[in-house]
Every structure is written in structure tokens, then in C-alpha cells.
Amino acid sequence: NEKSDNFYAEAILRTLGAIKGGGDGYPESIAAEMKAIKALGIDTGTGIKICDGSGLARMNYASPDFLVRYLKTMVYSDVFPDFIKSLPRPGEGTLGGMLGKLPADTRRRIHMKSGTMGGVRCFSGYILARNGRPEDTIVFSFLTNNTVVAASRMNFIIDKTVTLMAEQN
């Protein structure tokens, strides 16, 4: 997750389909993905529509509500330690220029994934609690689409919001 490569994401979806869905085409791959999400106990009836693995198709849809439900579920899963390690922190990977003014101890508690295209800025992730308690972890998802302001302005607003949340936790 630190390096955002849409080809890898596409390959992972197709591999999941080949291994768990009976074929590597989109129908089999998407069905396998939805089955895996449901197996985590997450309702897929609302807030998500998968059309490809790369996330570049404009018909893909994931609501902030769905992403928060997914991320909250992951906090209590057996794979959470590995999952959170895969997410970049400010100053790493696709988050290289973000939240640079925060103290290092605060930046270390923030793990988030970005998703960007023209007119789109998305950031979802975690702010781990200072006290280390999973129930006090902040889970967030900011998704902006079809924005008419410069990407730098959107990044500034999201930066400021994450900063405020991190300072309170």
C-alpha cells in the first residue's frame, strides 16, 4: 500500500478470482472479492461497487461509510498488525508531502491510504490512540470527487483535518 500501483491492485483482484472464484475474469474476481469482504462480517449491500481492481474505472464506488466499516473490522482481525504495517505514514510513499509539520511521535500513529485522480482526492485510515487501546483508535475516510479547486487546496484541508484529529487523540 505504500507505493500506489494500480497494476498490482488489478493483478491481486484477478489472482483472487483465479484462486477463489473459478476464473480470473471480472465477474469471478469481483464475486470472490465480495465474498471475502462478507466473510469479514461486512455488509456489501450498500456503499460498494467494484468494477475493476485498479480503482480507475469511474463506475467503481466505495462510500466513506463502507470504508470506515471495513477499516474498523480490520482493527479486530488477526491480520491487523500486518495490514496496518502496509499502510504508509506521513512522509512515506504516496504520503511523502503530507503532515510534515506534525511531531514525529504523532506522525508514527497515523496510517492512511491515498487515492487520487484528476478532481479526486481520497484518504482513509487510522490514527492510533496514544494510550494504545484499539477502541480509541480514530478511523476515518475523506473522499472528494469532481472538485474544482486545486489538488493542493484539497490536500491542505485534509492535512488540517487529520492534524486536528491526531492532536486530540
Side-chain angles (χ1 to χ4, degrees):
N1 283 316
E2 189 174 315
K3 293 183 178 170
S4 193
D5 190 317
N6 297 325
F7 175 75
Y8 293 160
E10 187 72 28
I12 290 169
L13 177 73
R14 298 296 188 109
T15 301
L16 180 63
I19 294 171
K20 297 282 188 178
D24 66 356
Y26 281 125
E28 300 90 354
S29 299
I30 292 167
E33 175 81 9
M34 296 301 264
K35 185 176 179 182
I37 294 168
K38 286 179 187 175
L40 291 169
I42 302 167
D43 177 20
T44 59
T46 61
I48 186 163
K49 179 181 177 193
I50 302 172
C51 295
D52 69 1
S54 71
L56 295 175
R58 293 281 183 172
M59 294 80 56
N60 284 312
Y61 177 79
S63 70
D65 173 68
F66 174 82
L67 291 169
V68 166
R69 287 186 283 127
Y70 176 82
L71 293 171
K72 279 183 176 180
T73 299
M74 292 302 291
V75 168
Y76 297 100
S77 76
D78 293 340
V79 299
F80 184 69
D82 292 321
F83 177 65
I84 198 160
K85 283 181 200 171
S86 80
L87 296 173
R89 290 183 282 190
E92 301 174 350
T94 56
L95 305 178
M98 293 193 70
L99 302 161
K101 294 180 180 175
L102 282 175
D105 63 318
T106 302
R107 284 196 314 270
R108 281 191 289 274
R109 295 186 300 109
I110 300 169
H111 299 262
M112 61 187 195
K113 180 70 179 107
S114 64
T116 60
M117 295 190 299
V120 176
R121 288 289 174 273
C122 302
F123 297 91
S124 299
Y126 303 97
I127 302 170
L128 301 177
R130 280 188 180 95
N131 64 19
R133 294 172 37 176
E135 60 272 19
D136 293 335
T137 294
I138 294 173
V139 180
F140 65 89
S141 183
F142 303 111
L143 309 182
T144 64
N145 290 298
N146 302 314
T147 58
V148 294
V149 299
S152 60
R153 181 73 181 140
M154 289 307 306
N155 288 349
F156 173 80
I157 293 167
I158 292 169
D159 234 43
K160 192 68 171 167
T161 305
V162 172
T163 295
L164 290 170
M165 291 189 307
E167 289 172 344
Q168 297 302 308
N169 192 26

